Amino acid sequence: MNLASIPSPSTGVIELGPIPLRGYAFCIIIGVFVAVWFGNKRWIARGGKAGTVADIAVWAVPFGLVGGRLYHVITDYQLYFSDGENWVDAFKIWEGGLGIWGAVAFGAVGAWIGCRRRGIPLPAWADAMAPSLAIAQAIGRWGNWFNQELYGKPTDLPWALEISEGPNRAAGTYHPTFLYESLWCIGVALLVIWADRRFRLGHGRAFALYVAAYCAGRGWIEYMRVDEAHHILGLRLNVWTAIIVFVLAVAYIVVSAKIRPGREETVEPDRDAATEKKDGPADENGSDENGSGENGFGEDGPAGSGTDGRAPAKKDPLTKDEPGRDATAESAEAAEKS
């Protein structure tokens, strides 16, 4: 007999006045907004511009949703394409079913497109967003609570989750794996924030740390779940995915630290400054990079000029005098000859 437990919502729909909103979708939306807000603060702290995170999120979020849904449908195809199932349900994302692996992979593709359009490096943007993504996952996991899904093995612990009778589930109390993962993601966010400040992680290493830390937790949490899943060599498919991605993330951290140590000095170059540098700034005297002044001449003057930079004197067209000759001296010389 349980002395305490966590009740599940009686419905997965939140009524916002006349507008019904699925609790699962609501958690995803809140997670996205928090991630963009916090990611923007971290991006500005690293030298980026306000609004850049939101601009790139316009690309990353839709790609992430599509990727997350594709991963879920592909790995759990029997829920939609088996006999007696309706394949149209594969498009009902509000009923739950997003694979974080597909969401991050496809979201990275969308972020890459957005970063290229803004002319900024994807690894730097990913580092700024790493703890924000973990927080978004922590919030989004509560959508599973609304849908009474992805719970663990039966338990009588005080924090056991109450599950009611429903399609493909039996009433009882189970491990709240959604809560375990939510708390783990918060811990991952705090770890990345600390490590980033302590070691000044750059070139994608903060993001890789987030991935590795999440996979470490997802492995044991996934092992506790009892929902239907494909198994390979006795382990759930997502456990194998977590192991492989964890190894790749750690390898990236090690190799990247050797090849590109330190952190990026500039994450979002100023376009105006870049243009000025390309054209060549003027010096204090108004000279350009070739050393010429306002008239385009250097201090020695143009070719054929004197050393003081002035144009050479010309003959008088009327008197035919040479420049610098005294007209009185010429008249005296003529009188002597006569």
Side-chain angles (χ1 to χ4, degrees), residues 236-254:
R236 293 167 65 97
L237 175 60
N238 282 333
V239 174
W240 283 110
T241 304
I243 293 173
I244 295 172
V245 176
F246 172 83
V247 172
L248 293 176
V250 172
Y252 178 87
I253 294 175
V254 174

Side-chain angles (χ1 to χ4, degrees), residues 13 102 136 143 220 259 283 312:
V13 180
W220 66 266
I259 297 177
D283 61 19

